[in-house]
Amino acid sequence: MIGWLKNKFLSKYISEKKQRRVRAITSLAKAKTVGLLCHIESEAAYQNIFSIFTKLQQHNKNVRLVAFIKEKEVPFYCLQQLTADYFCLKDLNWYGKPNMVQVNDFIDIEFDILIDFTTEKNLLPVQLILQLSQARLITGANYNHEKLYDLFIDDKMTNNKALIDNIDLYTRKLIGETV
């Protein structure tokens, strides 16, 4: 009963806040701003996503990372940075909306590409971010978020590097760049 009520309030919040966004396809190579959204469940997962974050920054991309940690506290290995923010269960209100200025800022940024690295289902805070995002292209490989994406990458691999390579490949094909 309470779960139904929480979902009802969350749906109402989303419908009130959702705005029309400008959609546009650009390749990862041409993108200037990239948003990364993920769920971190271990230090290895953190290292994996942080290596992608760093590599994109080295390619002169303006990269922002927001990661959800399904614990009461953010672990010590998640280092807060100017463009990398982490939120956990204590940062959610009673119906699952993140109560952090950084998350609201992330939602409002018009990224050229927003990449969802989550694989788990029923991550309401992540779904909320995807639904409210102002990104021009939202992409990922999570079957549970398929309806929230502009470009769904049907990738059976759980390797984030392979996902990035596939996003680069398919966005280049969609805009007519030679591959």
Side-chain angles (χ1 to χ4, degrees):
M1 175 71 174
I2 291 177
W4 174 83
L5 188 61
K6 286 181 177 184
N7 286 338
K8 187 76 172 162
F9 273 99
L10 190 60
S11 296
K12 183 176 185 227
Y13 175 80
I14 290 170
S15 66
E16 289 173 354
K17 296 291 182 186
K18 192 163 186 166
Q19 302 170 3
R20 289 217 174 264
R21 64 185 175 91
V22 177
R23 292 186 173 139
I25 296 177
T26 186
S27 68
L28 193 56
K30 288 187 176 179
K32 291 179 177 55
T33 57
V34 179
L36 306 179
L37 180 62
C38 65
H39 170 235
I40 294 178
E41 64 276 345
S42 66
E43 189 169 358
Y46 168 78
Q47 295 292 340
N48 186 301
I49 199 70
F50 200 75
S51 69
I52 291 170
F53 173 78
T54 307
K55 192 166 285 185
L56 286 170
Q57 283 183 326
Q58 290 170 350
H59 285 86
N60 297 322
K61 308 281 184 220
N62 183 0
V63 185
R64 292 279 312 257
L65 167 70
V66 166
F68 176 58
I69 294 123
K70 206 172 182 180
E71 297 177 17
K72 288 186 179 185
E73 296 286 330
V74 174
F76 68 92
Y77 52 80
C78 293
L79 303 173
Q80 292 280 1
Q81 292 187 8
L82 190 58
T83 58
D85 296 301
Y86 310 93
F87 67 102
C88 58
L89 294 174
K90 75 172 186 166
D91 298 318
L92 304 178
N93 69 8
W94 70 274
Y95 59 87
K97 179 191 166 292
N99 279 333
M100 288 183 63
V101 173
Q102 296 90 333
V103 174
N104 292 332
D105 290 345
F106 185 84
I107 289 170
D108 291 337
I109 295 172
E110 290 184 25
F111 294 110
D112 292 328
I113 298 178
L114 173 60
I115 303 171
D116 176 22
F117 287 102
T118 62
T119 55
E120 195 174 320
K121 65 178 185 176
N122 296 328
L123 289 175
L124 290 178
V126 171
Q127 291 173 357
L128 177 124
I129 292 169
L130 289 172
Q131 288 179 337
L132 296 179
S133 175
Q134 295 302 307
R136 291 183 190 95
L137 176 67
I138 300 175
T139 185
N142 188 335
Y143 287 97
N144 303 298
H145 299 161
E146 182 177 356
K147 293 179 181 172
L148 304 174
Y149 298 148
D150 300 316
L151 176 63
F152 174 66
I153 305 295
D154 189 5
D155 188 3
K156 304 276 188 256
M157 303 175 92
T158 57
N159 181 347
N160 290 338
K161 172 74 171 99
L163 177 60
I164 287 283
D165 292 342
N166 282 331
I167 289 169
D168 186 43
L169 172 72
Y170 290 117
T171 54
R172 284 179 184 224
K173 285 183 177 182
L174 284 170
I175 64 170
E177 281 185 16
T178 55
V179 185

